[in-house]
């Protein structure tokens, strides 16, 4: 068959591919090699924060605050203790492990016991008296009285004789009269309100079942390469210290039973990011391989030959490789939202192969030669493939209008991948067929071409023979599905975004259960033009936060008032100090009384003199302190930087708010919202629960917007193809009915809508419209011939294509991400529903309409 310049473009492309398949192979091979190189350089972005919508004050403030102040990201090293265990050997183990970790270049700081705060105590002790309110000043006056000093010295004598005495010794030398007890509360609050047994001197849970080391790495969790090095280094040090366990406990062979070796677990954001990256990579590979395997098995069963496996595999693989090569150029990274792209493209792209090759088989079985069959495949079914690919891509491109970064990435990558798969089918598939049949032409017999109908031809014949009955049954089923869909619920928990089996999340939850809500917090972000303005606003915020703690709305809070007392309170304290220096607050009297009582209790007074000197500095304060008073100590300034920093636009301060455990994870407490609004426009409440609430409020409108836009784009493209409103609506009818059936089936199978699968409806628009499109195209083509046979042949290909889509999307049900699993289930229901309507109700409707006219 000669190449006719007057023939439609797609027909000419099919004939051109028949004679130029070697050129196609060379060009495709070069593109694939380049794409493989680019794909090998793809990175994985595990930071869920990068998937959040932008241009929202609460979300933008949340991200900016985390970037500026950090997320207080620790690597929790949890040491699990046996029940009723003696603490001493395990505390020695923690001491040894902390020393090992402090020497690592990946870690800039370690917190695990009170001894780490000595430098801070010396820095803050002279300022600690300024934190005292009226009740605190009364308690201090009682402690500094002659009777109070006597009781304190007796208490010190008792403490030094207890097992915890050695760990408290340094603290007692710095603070012999117990003024630092107030400061300990501040330290506890600044470290996340961990509920610990402070009497042990360690971060020990109150049930004595866990010791905790908080390692502060030098880089954030989003750096996966760093996470790998960090975790490997820490695990190596843990193993090294565990190997020295007998030596640490002083165990000898004849001592009896060795205490159990400490069990150590790592948690926090670094483990979470590392496991998420592992899951994303594994899900992408497993999803692609299982989808490809399922599709190839289906292809082999449907066409009953090994040869067609080549036709299915090569165009799909080429399209996938080109897509991920483009992903490197356009996105640079793959996220959890794009990790299922390979499975989606396999499920969608195979439809093009099946419909096209099915038409080729049909033409060859009718007796057509190779050139005519390729021309019919490229021209007739090829037109439907192009329109179907463009409409499907359009529905995915509709995600570009959403504010959700992850969905925009997924929409762009999948939509573009569909077009690349379509181009691969248009060029590579006919080239492969031509190459394959040229090889057969040298043999005595040609290939045996076959397409399994899966019994659909009987069902379609009955539907076209009894259209009224079929339409009546379809109407009843649709009504039942709509009634069932009215009970569909929306699961608002963001847990659907989190993977199962993540060690970081599991250990963090365990630490939270042992130590309270120390890792769950909200942030009240305060802004001002000057340090004085932001401190004044922080004072008002602290007063309100204390009220919320008293009401039980919050467990606690920590802010700049942990380090810088309110101005009015400082003035009251300074006045109290001025009036009391000649009598009660006379440091010489206090020093002499302490020496006398210490001698009476058998204690040497000389070691406590440095602590009394610090007390003298505290009582001698005559000026209020400000932010500049914390610059002399690196550690003090680092702690202050957690609460207040200077920016290009002024000053920013943060108040960290700790809600009750396991409460207010989905939304902020209403009282906190009201309180933040009362503070004015320079105060913004944010946090993960605030972000959750904002995402919930925006996901549904975005889903509606993407769905409506996708449907409008599809309708326009179909009309441009058919130039007929009637045929456009007929092509859309399986989609409308199929979505109703899908929603009804979701209720029956107990599948709720969530933040991820709510967008599957938009995806189904692109998937399901192809099936109706192919039926209507074939109906128009056969309008003067054997309509029934033409529709049945197309129906056979549609069924195989739908089953291949099930194989593609079905691989998502093996994902570690619950949200992606639900996407797989919903997509399978949608594909089956729309395909079933396309091969039953639509042929019945077309037959009934044809008979009437």
């Amino acid at each position: 068959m000669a190449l006719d310049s007057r023939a439609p473009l797609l027909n000419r492309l099919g004939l051109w591919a028949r004679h130029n398949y070697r050129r196609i192979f060379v060009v495709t091979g070069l593109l694939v090699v380049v794409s493989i190189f680019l794909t090998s350089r793809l990175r994985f972005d595990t930071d869920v924060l990068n998937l959040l919508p932008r241009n929202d004050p609460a979300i933008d403030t949340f991200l900016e605050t985390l970037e500026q102040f950090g997320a207080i990201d620790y690597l929790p090293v949890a040491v699990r203790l046996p029940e009723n265990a003696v603490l001493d050997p395990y505390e020695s183990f923690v001491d040894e492990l902390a020393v090992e970790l402090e020497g690592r270049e990946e870690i800039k700081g370690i917190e695990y016991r009170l001894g780490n705060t000595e430098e801070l105590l010396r820095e803050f002790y002279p300022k600690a008296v300024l934190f005292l309110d009226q009740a605190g000043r009364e308690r201090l006056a009682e402690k500094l009285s002659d009777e109070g000093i006597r009781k304190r010295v007796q208490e010190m004598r008792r403490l030094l004789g207890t097992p915890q005495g050695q760990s408290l010794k340094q603290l007692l030398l710095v603070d012999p009269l117990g003024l630092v007890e107030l400061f300990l509360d501040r330290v506890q609050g600044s470290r996340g309100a961990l509920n610990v047994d402070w009497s042990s001197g360690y971060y020990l849970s109150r049930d004595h079942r866990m010791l905790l080391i908080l390692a502060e790495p030098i880089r954030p969790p989003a750096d996966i390469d760093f996470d790998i090095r960090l975790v490997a280094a820490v695990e190596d040090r843990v193993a090294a210290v565990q190997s020295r366990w007998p030596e640490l406990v002083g165990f000898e062979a004849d001592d009896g039973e060795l205490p159990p070796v400490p069990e150590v677990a790592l948690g926090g954001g670094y483990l979470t990011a590392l496991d998420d990256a592992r899951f994303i990579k594994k899900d992408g590979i497993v999803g692609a391989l299982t989808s490809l395997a399922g599709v190839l098995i289906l292809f082999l069963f449907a066409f009953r030959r090994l040869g067609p496996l080549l036709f299915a595999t090569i165009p799909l693989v080429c399209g996938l490789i080109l897509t991920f090569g483009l992903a490197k150029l356009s996105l640079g990274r793959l996220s959890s939202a794009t990790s299922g792209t390979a499975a989606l493209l396999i499920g969608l792209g195979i439809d093009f192969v099946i419909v096209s090759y099915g038409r080729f088989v049909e033409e060859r079985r009718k007796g057509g030669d190779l050139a005519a069959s390729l021309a019919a495949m490229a021209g007739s079914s090829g037109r439907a493939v192009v329109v179907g690919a463009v409409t499907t891509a359009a529905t995915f491109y509709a995600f570009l209008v959403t504010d959700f970064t992850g969905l925009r990435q997924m929409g762009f990558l999948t939509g573009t991948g569909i077009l690349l798969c379509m181009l691969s089918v248009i060029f590579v598939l006919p080239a492969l067929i031509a190459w394959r049949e040229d090889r057969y032409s040298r043999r005595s017999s040609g290939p045996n071409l076959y397409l399994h109908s899966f019994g659909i031809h009987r069902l379609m014949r009955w539907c076209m023979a009894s259209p009224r009955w079929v339409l009546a049954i379809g109407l009843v089923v649709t009504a039942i599905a709509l009634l069932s869909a009215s009970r569909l619920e929306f699961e608002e928990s963001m847990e659907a975004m989190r993977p199962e089996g993540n060690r970081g999340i599991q250990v963090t939850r365990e630490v939270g259960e042992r130590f309270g809500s120390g890792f769950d917090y909200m942030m009240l972000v305060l802004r001002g033009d000057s340090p004085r303005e932001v401190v004044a606003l922080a004072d008002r915020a602290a007063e309100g936060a204390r009220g919320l703690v008293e009401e039980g709305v919050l467990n606690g809070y920590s802010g700049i008032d942990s380090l810088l007392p309110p101005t009015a309170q400082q003035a009251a304290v300074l006045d109290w100090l001025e009036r009391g220096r000649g009598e009660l607050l006379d440091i010489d009297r206090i020093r002499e009384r302490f020496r006398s009582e210490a001698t009476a209790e058998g204690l040497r007074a000389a070691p406590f003199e440095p602590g009394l000197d610090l007390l003298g500095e505290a009582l001698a304060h005559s000026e209020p302190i400000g932010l500049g008073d914390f610059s002399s100590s690196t550690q003090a300034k680092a702690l202050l930087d957690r609460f207040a920093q200077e920016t290009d636009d002024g000053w920013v301060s943060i108040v960290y708010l700790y809600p009750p455990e396991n409460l207010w994870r989905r939304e902020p407490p209403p009282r906190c919202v009201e309180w933040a609004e009362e503070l004015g426009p320079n105060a913004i409440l944010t946090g993960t629960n605030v972000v959750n609430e904002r995402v919930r409020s925006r996901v549904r409108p975005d889903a509606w917007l993407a769905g409506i836009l996708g449907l409008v784009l599809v309708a326009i493209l179909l009309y441009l193809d058919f130039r007929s409103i009637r045929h456009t609506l007929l092509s859309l009818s399986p989609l409308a009915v199929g979505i109703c059936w899908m929603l009804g089936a979701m209720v029956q199978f107990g599948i709720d809508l969530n933040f991820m699968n709510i967008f599957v409806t938009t995806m189904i628009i692109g998937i399901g419209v192809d099936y109706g499109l192919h039926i209507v195209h074939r109906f128009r083509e056969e309008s003067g011939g054997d309509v029934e046979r033409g529709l049945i042949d197309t129906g056979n290909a549609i069924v195989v294509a739908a089953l291949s889509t099930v194989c593609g999307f079905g691989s998502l049900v093996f994902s570690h991400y619950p949200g992606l699993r639900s996407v797989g289930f919903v997509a399978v229901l949608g594909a089956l529903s729309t395909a079933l309507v396309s091969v039953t109700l639509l042929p019945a409707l077309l037959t009934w309409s044809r008979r009437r006219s």
Side-chain angles (χ1 to χ4, degrees):
M1 184 175 181
L3 189 63
D4 187 353
S5 60
R6 295 171 298 175
L9 175 62
L10 291 175
N11 296 68
R12 285 184 281 142
L13 284 177
L15 293 175
W16 182 82
R18 190 263 173 271
H19 298 289
N20 297 273
Y21 54 77
R22 291 183 178 84
R23 294 180 183 177
I24 293 175
F25 293 158
V26 171
V27 173
T28 303
L30 291 175
L31 291 175
V32 166
V33 169
V34 173
S35 297
I36 289 175
F37 171 76
L38 293 173
T39 301
S40 67
R41 306 178 73 85
L42 264 176
R43 298 294 182 184
F44 297 97
D45 183 3
T46 65
D47 194 347
V48 178
L49 298 179
N50 291 335
L51 306 181
L52 293 175
R54 299 297 192 267
N55 301 320
D56 184 288
I59 296 176
D60 290 344
T61 300
F62 179 72
L63 297 176
E64 291 170 4
T65 304
L66 291 184
E67 181 178 356
Q68 181 178 355
F69 287 85
I72 318 183
D73 282 316
Y74 291 110
L75 175 68
V77 182
V79 180
R80 301 186 179 108
L81 307 182
E83 191 171 2
N84 300 321
V86 177
L87 295 179
D88 287 349
Y90 296 97
E91 290 173 348
S92 299
F93 176 86
V94 168
D95 288 332
E96 188 75 10
L97 180 57
V99 171
E100 292 280 351
L101 295 180
E102 282 179 336
R104 298 300 309 177
E105 62 180 4
E106 298 86 0
I107 297 174
K108 64 180 177 182
I110 295 289
E111 299 176 9
Y112 72 103
R113 58 177 299 178
L114 282 177
N116 292 6
T117 64
E118 289 176 18
E119 180 186 342
L120 286 174
L121 292 180
R122 295 182 184 278
E123 171 69 23
F124 283 98
Y125 192 100
K127 307 176 181 71
V129 69
L130 298 175
F131 288 95
L132 299 179
D133 56 13
Q134 179 63 37
R137 294 193 293 272
E138 291 176 359
R139 289 196 301 271
L140 179 59
E142 182 179 344
K143 286 188 175 186
L144 297 182
S145 66
D146 291 348
E147 180 64 18
I149 293 174
R150 184 180 66 81
K151 290 181 178 179
R152 175 61 179 176
V153 172
Q154 291 176 347
E155 177 67 10
M156 287 172 51
R157 183 72 182 86
R158 185 190 65 80
L159 287 173
L160 290 172
T162 63
Q164 294 84 15
Q166 290 304 311
S167 62
L168 294 174
K169 184 176 180 179
Q170 294 300 319
L171 178 61
L172 294 175
L173 293 176
V174 175
D175 178 40
L177 294 180
L179 179 60
V180 82
E181 290 177 2
L182 171 66
F183 179 64
L184 284 183
D185 292 337
R186 307 285 174 171
V187 173
Q188 180 176 352
S190 69
R191 287 189 170 90
L194 292 176
N195 189 11
V196 303
D197 182 356
W198 289 101
S199 64
S200 69
Y202 292 81
Y203 288 4
L204 173 67
S205 62
R206 292 192 178 275
D207 62 0
H208 290 198
R209 295 302 306 276
M210 182 177 288
L211 284 161
L212 185 64
I213 298 175
L214 296 179
E216 188 175 1
I218 60 174
R219 296 187 61 81
D223 188 339
I224 300 301
D225 291 335
F226 172 77
D227 296 346
I228 294 173
R229 296 197 307 273
L230 171 68
V231 172
V234 172
E235 289 179 341
D236 177 68
R237 292 300 85 203
V238 168
V241 178
Q242 284 176 328
S243 67
R244 300 198 298 269
W245 176 243
E247 176 186 342
L248 289 175
V249 300
F251 181 77
E252 300 292 343
D254 55 352
D255 285 347
E257 186 177 354
L258 177 69
V261 178
E263 181 183 350
V264 180
L266 307 183
Y270 293 89
L271 261 293
T272 300
L274 197 58
D275 275 9
D276 274 2
R278 178 167 57 89
F279 290 151
I280 290 173
K281 187 174 183 179
K282 182 178 179 181
D283 285 354
I285 295 174
V286 171
L289 292 179
T290 55
S291 296
L292 188 60
V295 164
L296 294 181
I297 291 172
L298 174 66
F299 216 83
L300 178 61
F301 184 77
F303 291 98
R304 300 291 178 88
R305 292 175 56 230
L306 290 174
L309 290 181
L310 188 70
F311 307 149
T313 305
I314 293 180
L316 269 183
V317 171
C318 290
L320 286 176
I321 294 174
L322 293 176
T323 299
F324 286 105
L326 178 66
K328 170 59 182 176
L329 296 177
S330 57
L331 302 178
R333 292 175 178 267
L334 288 182
S335 67
S336 59
T338 55
S339 62
T341 299
L344 294 177
L345 292 179
I346 290 174
L348 297 171
I350 195 64
D351 290 3
F352 307 149
V353 178
I354 290 173
V355 172
S356 297
Y357 186 66
R359 183 58 184 271
F360 174 79
V361 170
E362 180 185 340
E363 293 297 327
R364 290 289 272 161
R365 293 180 68 186
K366 289 179 182 179
D369 61 15
L370 174 62
S373 299
L374 286 176
M377 178 188 79
S380 298
S381 65
R383 181 181 177 185
V385 165
V386 171
V387 176
V390 172
T391 54
T392 302
T395 58
F396 281 96
Y397 284 144
F399 289 132
L400 297 177
V401 302
T402 71
D403 291 327
F404 289 80
T405 306
L407 286 172
R408 289 205 306 271
Q409 292 176 355
M410 187 270 289
F412 169 76
L413 191 59
T414 307
T416 306
I418 288 168
L419 297 180
L420 291 174
C421 288
M422 178 264 291
L423 291 174
S424 182
V425 169
I426 288 177
F427 286 98
V428 177
L429 179 61
L432 286 171
I433 293 175
W435 170 76
R436 179 75 174 174
E437 295 231 355
D438 278 354
R439 293 185 62 195
Y440 267 112
S441 65
R442 303 185 184 98
R443 303 180 183 181
S444 58
S445 61
N448 179 28
L449 301 177
Y450 178 81
L451 174 60
H452 200 293
S453 69
F454 292 93
I456 200 66
H457 62 288
R458 298 187 185 90
L459 177 62
M460 292 187 69
R461 282 198 182 96
W462 179 77
C463 290
M464 287 184 283
S466 308
R468 292 185 179 181
W469 279 104
V470 172
L471 293 175
I473 294 172
L475 185 62
V476 172
V477 173
T478 304
I480 294 174
L482 284 173
L483 183 63
S484 180
S486 64
R487 303 196 305 272
L488 193 62
E489 297 182 356
F490 189 88
E491 173 54 58
E492 297 183 344
S493 174
M494 285 295 286
E495 289 298 312
M497 297 287 289
R498 305 304 314 175
E500 296 178 353
N502 188 298
R503 296 170 296 170
I505 296 175
Q506 292 173 344
V507 174
T508 301
R509 286 174 180 167
E510 181 183 357
V511 172
E513 292 172 358
R514 299 290 184 190
F515 290 91
S517 57
F519 296 96
D520 292 327
Y521 60 90
M522 298 180 292
M523 295 178 290
L524 181 68
V525 182
L526 310 171
R527 302 185 185 276
D529 295 330
S530 64
R532 177 175 297 181
E533 184 177 336
V534 79
V535 168
L537 185 57
D539 288 346
R540 289 176 53 204
E543 183 179 355
R546 283 192 293 270
L548 294 176
V549 172
E550 293 173 359
E551 294 177 24
V553 177
L554 298 174
N555 262 0
Y557 79 97
S558 60
I560 200 171
D561 70 313
S562 302
L563 310 175
L564 190 65
T567 304
Q569 180 175 304
Q570 290 194 57
V573 171
L574 292 174
D575 179 65
W576 177 71
L577 290 174
E578 181 66 28
R579 288 184 285 105
R581 284 197 183 99
E583 301 174 3
L584 181 67
L585 304 182
D586 183 359
I587 187 59
D588 293 331
R589 180 197 68 82
I590 296 170
R591 194 186 302 271
E592 186 62 32
R593 189 65 183 178
F594 180 85
R595 290 170 180 168
S596 173
E597 294 295 342
T599 301
E601 291 293 332
L603 296 175
R604 292 176 58 246
F608 299 97
E609 287 296 332
L612 293 174
D613 291 339
L614 289 176
L615 176 61
E617 291 182 42
L619 297 179
H621 256 295
S622 59
E623 297 290 336
I625 60 174
L627 295 176
D629 291 273
F630 294 90
S631 58
S632 59
S633 168
T634 302
Q635 225 185 127
K637 189 177 185 305
L639 186 56
L640 181 66
D641 284 346
R642 292 180 179 176
F643 301 110
Q645 292 184 22
E646 187 176 9
T647 67
D648 295 337
D649 301 324
W651 281 78
V652 178
S653 179
I654 294 183
V655 179
Y656 296 95
L657 310 171
Y658 305 101
E661 185 179 358
N662 296 322
L663 293 178
W664 307 112
R665 291 188 172 182
R666 295 171 58 187
E667 60 187 2
R671 283 286 292 113
C672 288
V673 176
E674 296 172 4
W675 161 61
E677 292 174 351
E678 292 170 0
L679 290 172
N682 288 337
I684 298 179
L685 182 68
T686 188
T688 55
N689 52 359
V690 179
V691 171
N692 284 349
E693 184 183 43
R694 297 300 299 160
V695 169
R696 286 198 305 273
S697 67
R698 297 181 64 169
V699 68
R700 298 191 203 187
D702 275 15
W704 277 104
L705 177 62
I708 293 172
L709 180 60
L711 185 60
V712 170
L713 289 173
V714 165
I716 292 174
L717 291 170
L718 289 178
Y719 178 75
L720 293 176
D721 179 41
F722 290 121
R723 302 291 179 177
S724 166
I725 294 178
R726 175 173 174 267
H727 288 153
T728 299
L729 294 177
L730 285 171
S731 296
L732 291 173
S733 60
L735 176 64
V737 176
I739 289 178
C740 293
W741 289 14
M742 176 192 76
L743 296 176
M746 287 175 62
V747 174
Q748 299 304 315
F749 286 104
I751 304 173
D752 292 328
L753 286 173
N754 58 42
F755 293 113
M756 297 187 72
N757 68 29
I758 192 174
F759 290 92
V760 174
T761 301
T762 304
M763 295 163 55
I764 294 300
I765 292 174
I767 298 170
V769 75
D770 290 357
Y771 303 144
L773 172 69
H774 290 306
I775 290 290
V776 175
H777 257 288
R778 192 59 184 269
F779 177 78
R780 285 161 56 100
E781 184 182 340
E782 301 288 351
S783 58
D786 190 348
V787 173
E788 179 177 312
R789 179 176 177 178
L791 292 182
I792 289 176
D793 287 338
T794 301
N796 291 343
I798 287 174
V799 169
V800 177
L803 292 176
S804 68
T805 301
V806 170
C807 293
F809 281 96
S811 67
L812 293 178
V813 302
F814 301 109
S815 172
H816 290 85
Y817 291 82
L820 280 178
R821 285 205 301 272
S822 70
V823 167
F825 283 119
V826 174
V828 166
L829 291 176
L832 291 178
S833 298
T834 51
L836 185 59
V837 174
S838 297
V839 298
T840 56
L841 299 186
L842 183 56
L845 180 61
L846 291 172
T847 303
W848 176 71
S849 175
R850 188 165 184 259
R851 289 178 182 176
R852 288 191 62 193
S853 61

